[in-house]
């Protein structure tokens, strides 16, 4: 555990160690440097952290290790007042911070657990721990996929907390075995896939049309003035790679 504090470039990691080792249970660890930081925050408030000595120390450490944060970045920081989110777990209403925080993950776990009779399981029994672990894995798969800065991306909070969605997700839990790979769900219910249609006129002339880029928008590269994106494909020496189209 102490190794991460002793990496090259981490000149002051030793400040959090006792004689070069992580403090152990029962040992007394004094941190006068943190006490001084708290005193400065008490005296100067927000400015004591985002400007001045503490800010300079933070920026110097980050830049010395290859980061790009500047004093201006810290000085321009603002806090936002957000509306909490909630779910109803049986007779209780549980409140959490919204995304970009991960409080929604805990709410999704509770929603899934509602679909099981936990009272029949002994506390910390194999079934009890297994159920919680599987629900947490599925919930984190969703939060890692969908939760980000709500000012920049649309986070489907209402859909992620919908009871019918949690029911669908809970059905992925197998009480006999662990899920080795938990993947995110589709809370909006909308899907994206290959577009295909066939048109036939009265004279029998037909057109079979398929629009497949392997993944959504393929490479994302759009030739100027052409109206389509290039497909994801790798080939060398004029070889023909696997093609995903299979028109009728």
């Amino acid at each position: 555990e102490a190794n991460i504090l002793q990496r090259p470039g981490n000149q002051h990691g030793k400040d959090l160690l006792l004689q070069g080792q992580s403090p152990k249970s029962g040992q007394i660890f004094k941190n006068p440097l943190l006490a001084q930081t708290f005193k400065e925050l008490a005296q100067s408030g927000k400015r004591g952290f985002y400007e001045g000595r503490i800010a300079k120390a933070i920026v110097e450490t980050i830049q010395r290790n290859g980061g790009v944060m500047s004093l201006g970045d810290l000085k321009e920081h603002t806090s936002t007042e957000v509306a909490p989110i909630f779910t109803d777990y049986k007779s209780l209403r549980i409140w959490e911070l919204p995304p970009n925080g991960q409080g929604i993950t805990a709410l999704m776990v509770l929603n899934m657990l509602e679909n099981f009779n936990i009272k029949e399981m002994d506390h910390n029994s194999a079934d009890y721990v297994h159920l919680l672990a599987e629900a947490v894995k599925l919930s984190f798969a969703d939060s890692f996929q969908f939760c980000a800065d709500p000012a920049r991306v649309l986070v489907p909070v209402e859909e992620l907390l919908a009871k019918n969605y949690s029911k669908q997700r809970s059905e992925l839990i197998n009480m006999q075995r662990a899920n080795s790979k938990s993947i995110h769900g589709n809370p909006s219910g909308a899907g994206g896939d290959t577009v295909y249609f066939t048109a036939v006129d009265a004279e029998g002339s037909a057109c079979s049309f398929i629009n497949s880029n392997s993944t959504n928008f393929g490479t994302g590269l759009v030739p100027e003035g052409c109206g389509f994106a290039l497909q994801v494909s790798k080939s060398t020496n004029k070889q023909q790679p696997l093609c995903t189209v299979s028109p009728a």
Side-chain angles (χ1 to χ4, degrees), residues 87 104-105 107-116 135-147 155-173 182-190:
T87 194
I104 191 172
T105 309
L107 301 185
M108 289 190 288
V109 170
L110 290 174
N111 279 348
M112 275 190 274
L113 294 181
E114 266 194 321
N115 297 289
F116 298 86
V136 168
K137 284 156 60 176
L138 288 168
S139 297
F140 268 117
D142 275 344
S143 61
F144 287 153
Q145 175 68 22
F146 299 108
C147 296
V155 182
V157 173
E158 184 176 343
E159 291 86 350
L160 287 168
L161 294 179
K163 296 295 185 178
N164 60 341
Y165 178 68
S166 65
K167 180 69 166 61
Q168 295 173 15
R169 296 292 279 164
S170 68
E171 291 172 354
L172 298 175
I173 297 177
S182 298
I183 60 174
H184 65 83
N186 182 16
S188 67

Side-chain angles (χ1 to χ4, degrees), residues 36-46 48:
Q36 178 59 36
T37 295
F38 286 155
K39 287 181 180 179
E40 293 180 36
L41 295 181
Q43 294 169 355
S44 305
K46 174 184 174 181

Side-chain angles (χ1 to χ4, degrees), residues 70-129:
S70 68
L71 287 171
D73 293 330
L74 283 176
K75 187 176 181 179
E76 293 171 5
H77 171 78
T78 57
S79 298
T80 56
E81 186 173 331
V82 297
I85 58 176
F86 69 89
T87 194
D88 292 323
Y89 178 73
K90 298 184 178 180
S91 61
L92 301 175
R93 175 156 290 185
I94 314 297
W95 296 86
E96 269 288 1
L97 286 173
N100 62 322
Q102 66 176 21
I104 191 172
T105 309
L107 301 185
M108 289 190 288
V109 170
L110 290 174
N111 279 348
M112 275 190 274
L113 294 181
E114 266 194 321
N115 297 289
F116 298 86
N117 192 345
I118 299 180
K119 286 186 177 180
E120 292 184 351
M121 304 176 187
D122 292 333
H123 180 66
N124 278 347
S125 64
D127 282 347
Y128 180 94
V129 174

